RNA sequence: GCGGGUAUGGUGGAAUAGGCAGACACAAGAGACUUAAAAUCUCUCGGGGGCGACCCCGUGCCGGUUCAAGUCCGGCUACCCGCACCA
């Protein structure tokens, strides 16, 4: 058969769609497989080859599972709220709804042209009112359960445009639009109390099947640390300064304290501070610093000593100075630290610069040069002297602190509460009403969805407000509680909202009573296998695990964890080995490949290009190689015979075994390599039986389904090969009669011999010793040891 | 700085569990077919040496364990990706 991809791909895509063969059924008696890929943001640029690699992996797994008789749910949708559509709307004066619909349509056509076996009857769109109704519903449930609060946050703000900017739009501390300096502005924003779920999110990791590096990344992101809170008295004032430390056992080495520039202590005791002007100036300087300067520029420690406030070390009564410095953050711990310069490098640098005492309390380092953070014997530390084990000394100190009521064991997380807001139009409106009498009042559930109002102008509002704030008819409303005049919240939700629960909606996408039917969730959840990019392993996955765990706790969903298994594909790099980017001009458009080589070639190539989890550069020549492979597969119809071809039996069974397990292990490259090797063997053999060819095509079908369907049909087979039964192998038929084993003398390979598979060692040694290439190396030597690894190797150790 | 990952021919990459390094492709070279080119088919293809059967070296670097190391252990180097003054 000649390989005419243009003709056959359109033909089979239409047949699949007409027959709806990839529709998941809600037949709860069947074994199920829920395969999930990260739904795309439907950008105007269309699909990227990265999407192809991400989707084809689970596509292959899903197709195989379907052939194995599973009821497969392999859905797709669109994460369509977000800035690009909004910016484009501003530029072209078109409604983002229109743009989004166009992009979704375009994207869908592109996805269909690759032949994915998605269930198109379950498409979700996060910007659809029927979808975001439930996003708002979950938000209100969280509000009800005290997980939503408002607090101040520093936001990127452009004073010239009077607009809040995202990190992306304020890179390098300059406004992307007018290029003036971006400042940090304090603003009241919405937060979700994700830190309350930190321990549950950590515990949940023990029950799921994620690769160890992904688990570790999530653990580090949550960043649990144990230590102690300690109260330091302030001399002459009835006030405690509370700090957090992971090393309470170093308390005797404390020589000063540092508080964050924003710490409330300053304002509270402003009248006691002698150098208030200097401190205020330092504070202002810190506020001006952008995120970029704070984190990217390695710099000297700066700070100012607070005159008039002195702290007292609670363990020895020593009076110590208090500084403010920007190396201490308000957002972690209590915003204040006890400084132990002998054993913390940052404190050491600060003490050196400001000429503060350095007291050694742990032996083992040279504290005149740098801080010593290792283990060692405790000294200069009263009752802790002589301790050599960190764990013991910390435990003892915590006991002392608790007995005296000046400290307690504590836990801290690096993870911060989730700032949950955007001052933009194209997002889910936050369904809260501000009533002057009742405070924050939720929009009643029956009024959901709280729809985005129609507006003409999507430009952000002034002074950091959302565009919605300009709409009087939207803002002014009555309080659902007291009926008085009230104002609506005008912030919208961030991008991450819809993607935090979208996988639940696929289960029951048209339900009007609930986010999904309970019975259906009990059948389909959890997601059996979730594939996506490494970049979403922390934020998106942690956010969605948090939402899901919350929904579990309030009885809405049936599993504590949403994803039973997670995998991640590696990046597709440009042909030059660099990350693909428009500015570098190394972007490959997958649709060009579909046009020039066909969807089957594209699919096969992205699966063949290398280790699925690793980054790999694009190679046009290698694409051609995959096309050549498929052409040779098409040519097999000319080698097909009615006769049996037993000479291919072992090779075929080996290949079934290899392809079956490789797909499960996501070793797609070696699965394809083994099919190529078998193809070479078939050509060498000159013929293949009809039966064996049918089996071969079934193995290839998940990768190149259009070609396999066409050949299946031309062979006169019934139905779709996509629904045919996945081949089984016979273990006994995967072993050869004889096997070539290596013969080593003193560990060096000297020859190979053929022996019966699994033969005993006497036979192996005898055969090996008789080998003419081995003989010269044994002659005149004393045989010290003989090693035999069945079916692998013989090694003679001689002297 | 902290955490994670990677390193194998000219290239992408193979190598259950410590057991014949380089599967499968790509590129390159030679040949066949062709008026010619493309396509296709056949052969060569890690480096060095030898007329030759063959021999020596070789998985980022240094050392170790072992009959045997790409694989295990100790110590480096380079690059990539997260997080980043986390007390």
């Amino acid at each position: 058969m000649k390989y005419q991809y243009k003709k056959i791909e359109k033909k089979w895509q239409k047949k699949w769609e007409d027959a709806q063969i990839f529709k998941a059924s809600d037949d709860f008696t069947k074994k199920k497989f829920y395969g999930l890929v990260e739904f795309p943001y439907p950008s105007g640029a269309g699909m990227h080859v990265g999407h192809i690699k991400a989707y084809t992996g689970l596509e292959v797994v899903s197709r195989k599972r379907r052939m194995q008789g599973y009821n497969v749910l392999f859905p797709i949708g669109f994460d369509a709220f977000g800035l690009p559509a909004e910016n484009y709307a501003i530029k072209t004066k078109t409604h983002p709804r229109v743009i989004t619909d166009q992009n979704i349509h375009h994207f869908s056509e592109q996805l269909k042209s690759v032949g994915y076996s998605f269930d198109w009857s379950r498409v979700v769109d996060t910007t659809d009112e029927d979808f975001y109704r439930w996003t708002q519903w979950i938000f209100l449930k969280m509000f009800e359960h005290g997980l939503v609060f408002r607090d101040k946050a520093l936001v990127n703000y452009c004073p010239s445009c009077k607009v809040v900017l995202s990190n992306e739009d304020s890179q390098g501390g300059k406004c992307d639009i007018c290029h003036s300096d971006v400042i940090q502005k304090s603003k009241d924003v919405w937060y979700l109390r994700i830190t309350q779920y930190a321990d549950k999110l950590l515990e949940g990791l023990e029950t799921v099947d994620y690769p160890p590096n992904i688990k570790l990344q999530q653990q580090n992101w949550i960043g649990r640390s144990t230590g102690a809170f300690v109260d330091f008295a302030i001399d002459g004032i009835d006030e405690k300064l509370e700090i957090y430390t992971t090393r309470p056992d170093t308390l005797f080495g404390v020589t000063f304290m540092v508080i964050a520039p924003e710490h409330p202590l300053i304002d509270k005791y402003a009248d006691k501070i002698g150098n208030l002007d200097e401190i205020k100036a330092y504070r202002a300087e810190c506020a001006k610093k952008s995120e970029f300067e704070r984190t990217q520029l390695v710099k000297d420690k700066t700070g100012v000593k607070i005159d008039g406030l002195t702290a007292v070390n609670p363990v020895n009564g020593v009076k110590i100075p208090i500084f403010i410095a920007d190396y201490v953050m308000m957002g972690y711990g209590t915003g204040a630290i006890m400084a132990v310069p002998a054993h913390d490098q940052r404190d050491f640098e600060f003490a050196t610069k400001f000429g503060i005492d350095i007291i050694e309390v742990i032996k083992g380092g040279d504290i005149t040069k740098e801080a010593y953070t290792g283990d060692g014997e405790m000294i200069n530390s009263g009752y802790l002297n002589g301790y050599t084990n960190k764990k013991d000394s910390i435990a003892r100190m915590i006991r002392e602190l608790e007995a005296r009521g000046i400290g307690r064991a504590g836990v801290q997380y690096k993870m911060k509460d989730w700032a949950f807001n955007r001052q933009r139009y194209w997002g889910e409106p936050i369904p809260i009403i501000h009533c002057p009498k009742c405070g924050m009042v939720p929009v009643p559930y029956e009024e959901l969805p709280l729809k985005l109002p129609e507006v003409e102008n999507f430009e952000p509002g002034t002074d950091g407000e959302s565009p919605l704030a300009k709409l009087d008819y939207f803002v002014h409303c009555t309080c659902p509680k007291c009926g008085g005049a009230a104002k609506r919240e005008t912030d919208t939700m961030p991008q991450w909202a819809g993607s935090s629960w979208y996988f639940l909606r696929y289960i029951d996408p048209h339900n009007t009573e609930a986010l999904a039917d309970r019975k259906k969730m009990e059948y389909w959840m959890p997601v059996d296998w979730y594939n996506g990019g490494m970049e979403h392993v922390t934020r998106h996955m942690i956010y969605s695990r948090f939402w899901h765990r919350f929904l579990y706790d309030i009885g809405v969903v049936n599993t504590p964890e949403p994803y039973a298994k997670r995998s991640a594909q590696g990046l597709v790099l440009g042909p030059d080995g660099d990350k693909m980017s428009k500015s570098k001009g190394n972007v490959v458009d997958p649709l060009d490949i579909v046009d020039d080589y066909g969807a089957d070639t594209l699919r096969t190539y992205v699966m063949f290009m290398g280790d699925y989890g690793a980054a790999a550069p694009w190679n046009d020549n290698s694409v051609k190689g995959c096309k050549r492979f498929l052409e040779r597969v098409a040519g097999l119809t000319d080698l097909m015979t009615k006769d049996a071809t037993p000479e291919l039996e072992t090779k075929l069974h080996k290949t079934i075994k290899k392809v079956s397990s490789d797909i499960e292990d996501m070793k797609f490259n070696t699965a394809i390599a083994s099919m190529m090797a078998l193809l070479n063997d078939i050509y060498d053999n000159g013929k293949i039986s009809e039966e064996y060819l049918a089996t071969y095509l079934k193995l290839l079908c998940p990768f190149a389904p259009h070609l396999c369907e066409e050949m299946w049909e031309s062979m006169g087979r019934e139905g779709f090969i996509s629904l045919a039964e996945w081949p089984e192998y016979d273990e006994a038929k995967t072993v050869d009669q004889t096997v070539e084993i290596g013969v080593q003398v003193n560990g060096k390979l000297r020859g190979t011999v053929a022996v019966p598979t699994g033969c005993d060692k006497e036979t192996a040694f005898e055969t090996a010793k008789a080998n003419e290439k081995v003989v010269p190396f044994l002659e005149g030597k004393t045989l010290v040891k003989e090693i035999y690894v069945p079916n692998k190797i013989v090694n003679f150790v001689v002297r």
Side-chain angles (χ1 to χ4, degrees), chain A residues 434-685:
Chain A
H434 301 278
C435 172
K437 240 195 274 173
C438 315
M440 292 194 288
V441 180
V443 169
Y445 286 106
E446 57 276 13
E447 286 179 26
L448 297 183
L450 173 59
K451 294 182 188 176
L452 266 175
E454 290 300 321
V455 301
E456 297 283 306
N457 181 1
F458 306 101
E459 301 271 359
T462 52
D463 208 27
E465 297 279 7
S466 147
L468 299 182
K470 293 183 288 193
L471 305 173
D472 284 346
Y473 72 91
F474 178 77
V475 173
H476 295 292
C477 62
T478 53
C479 170
K481 229 177 183 173
C482 69
K487 284 184 169 185
R488 263 185 214 288
E489 173 59 46
T490 58
D491 279 4
T492 53
M493 298 187 195
Q495 266 264 266
W496 310 102
S499 60
S500 291
W501 74 281
Y502 72 113
F503 48 89
L504 290 171
R505 193 62 178 171
Y506 285 137
I507 288 170
D508 198 7
H510 310 297
N511 194 321
T512 53
E513 304 303 315
L515 50 82
D517 176 75
R518 178 81 193 192
K519 284 250 150 36
K520 291 181 184 174
M521 284 195 285
E522 277 166 11
Y523 174 66
W524 285 112
M525 285 302 284
V527 171
D528 292 287
W529 193 335
Y530 189 18
N531 184 66
M534 272 317 277
E535 69 276 20
H536 293 130
V537 153
T538 46
R539 266 116 102 80
H540 159 61
M541 278 192 79
I542 292 200
Y543 291 156
S544 58
R545 287 182 56 222
F546 161 49
W547 277 39
H548 197 78
R549 183 60 205 247
F550 164 72
L551 291 173
Y552 175 75
D553 287 350
I554 63 166
V556 172
V557 299
N558 59 303
T559 61
E561 285 291 330
Y563 319 120
K565 175 176 179 165
R566 167 75 186 199
S567 58
Q569 79 279 351
L571 236 49
V572 181
L573 305 173
D576 52 2
D578 287 332
K579 210 166 163 172
M580 278 192 194
S581 77
K582 268 186 218 139
S583 58
K584 282 194 196 119
N586 59 354
V587 177
V588 175
D589 183 345
L591 276 301
D592 289 346
I593 307 299
V594 172
D595 266 355
D596 297 345
Y597 302 96
D600 283 338
T601 297
L602 173 66
R603 297 165 58 114
T604 305
Y605 172 66
V606 294
M607 293 292 93
F608 183 63
M609 56 196 303
D611 180 348
Y612 188 65
W618 186 267
N619 183 323
D620 279 317
N621 281 319
S622 201
V623 177
K624 285 179 201 156
C626 290
K627 172 103 186 291
R628 202 173 298 157
F629 164 60
L630 295 180
E631 281 166 349
R632 272 160 55 88
V633 171
L636 285 177
T637 47
D638 302 331
L639 304 188
M640 191 169 73
T641 165
K642 293 247 179 278
D643 307 331
T645 45
E647 63 279 8
L648 293 173
E649 187 178 64
T650 306
K651 282 170 177 153
L652 184 73
H653 279 259
K654 274 185 182 170
T655 308
I656 297 170
K657 184 180 178 180
K658 175 109 181 109
V659 172
S660 301
S661 64
D662 277 358
I663 289 176
E664 293 301 322
D665 297 339
M666 291 200 135
K667 291 163 79 175
F668 305 113
N669 54 336
T670 51
I672 293 170
S674 70
M675 287 188 278
M676 287 174 167
L678 177 57
L679 183 70
N680 291 341
D681 291 334
I682 296 167
Y683 270 91
D684 287 347
N685 191 51

Side-chain angles (χ1 to χ4, degrees), chain A residues 113-180:
Chain A
S113 76
V114 185
Y116 288 130
S117 63
F118 291 129
D119 180 348
W120 289 97
S121 71
R122 293 175 186 250
V123 171
V124 304
D125 165 5
T126 55
T127 65
D128 188 339
E129 290 163 9
D130 293 333
F131 183 92
Y132 72 67
R133 170 185 176 187
W134 298 104
T135 312
Q136 291 172 330
W137 185 88
I138 297 170
F139 178 87
L140 288 183
K141 283 288 169 195
M142 289 190 152
F143 185 83
E144 215 175 275
H145 287 83
L147 291 173
V148 177
F149 67 100
R150 270 171 83 76
D151 198 359
K152 296 231 177 293
L154 292 177
V155 294
N156 301 309
Y157 183 76
C158 173
S160 145
C161 304
K162 296 201 170 99
V163 162
V164 173
L165 297 168
S166 66
N167 286 337
E168 288 73 35
D169 285 337
S170 54
Q171 280 179 12
K174 300 275 180 202
C175 170
D176 226 27
I177 302 152
C178 70
H179 302 288
S180 50

Side-chain angles (χ1 to χ4, degrees), chain A residues 21-64:
Chain A
I21 64 169
F22 302 127
K23 228 172 145 169
S25 86
D26 286 323
D27 176 355
F28 301 163
T29 62
K30 287 168 90 178
K31 54 181 178 178
K32 64 101 180 180
F33 176 73
Y34 184 175
L36 182 68
V37 292
E38 288 170 349
F39 62 164
Y41 174 77
S43 80
M47 273 201 304
H48 184 266
V49 280
H51 291 116
I52 304 291
K53 188 168 174 189
Y55 301 156
T56 309
L58 263 195
E59 153 82 352
V60 169
V61 174
S62 295
R63 277 184 174 267
K64 170 178 172 263

Side-chain angles (χ1 to χ4, degrees), chain A residues 202-215:
Chain A
L202 279 174
E203 284 158 22
L205 284 177
E206 283 158 33
T207 67
V208 292
D209 176 18
Y210 300 173
N213 62 324
I214 292 182
K215 281 192 185 180

Side-chain angles (χ1 to χ4, degrees), chain A residues 57-120:
Chain A
L58 263 195
E59 153 82 352
V60 169
V61 174
S62 295
R63 277 184 174 267
K64 170 178 172 263
R65 292 287 178 97
R66 204 177 279 115
M67 292 170 79
Q68 286 176 314
Y70 285 84
N71 183 18
V72 172
L73 174 55
F74 186 48
I76 191 71
F78 298 95
D79 189 14
F81 275 130
L83 265 186
E86 184 161 340
N87 288 340
Y88 192 73
I90 292 168
K91 213 162 73 188
T92 62
K93 309 248 180 267
T94 322
H95 197 289
R97 173 80 271 153
V98 176
I99 296 159
T100 301
D101 285 342
Q102 279 171 2
N103 288 351
I104 287 179
H105 177 78
H106 181 60
F107 230 92
S108 301
E109 291 306 308
Q110 293 194 335
L111 286 166
K112 285 178 182 172
S113 76
V114 185
Y116 288 130
S117 63
F118 291 129
D119 180 348
W120 289 97

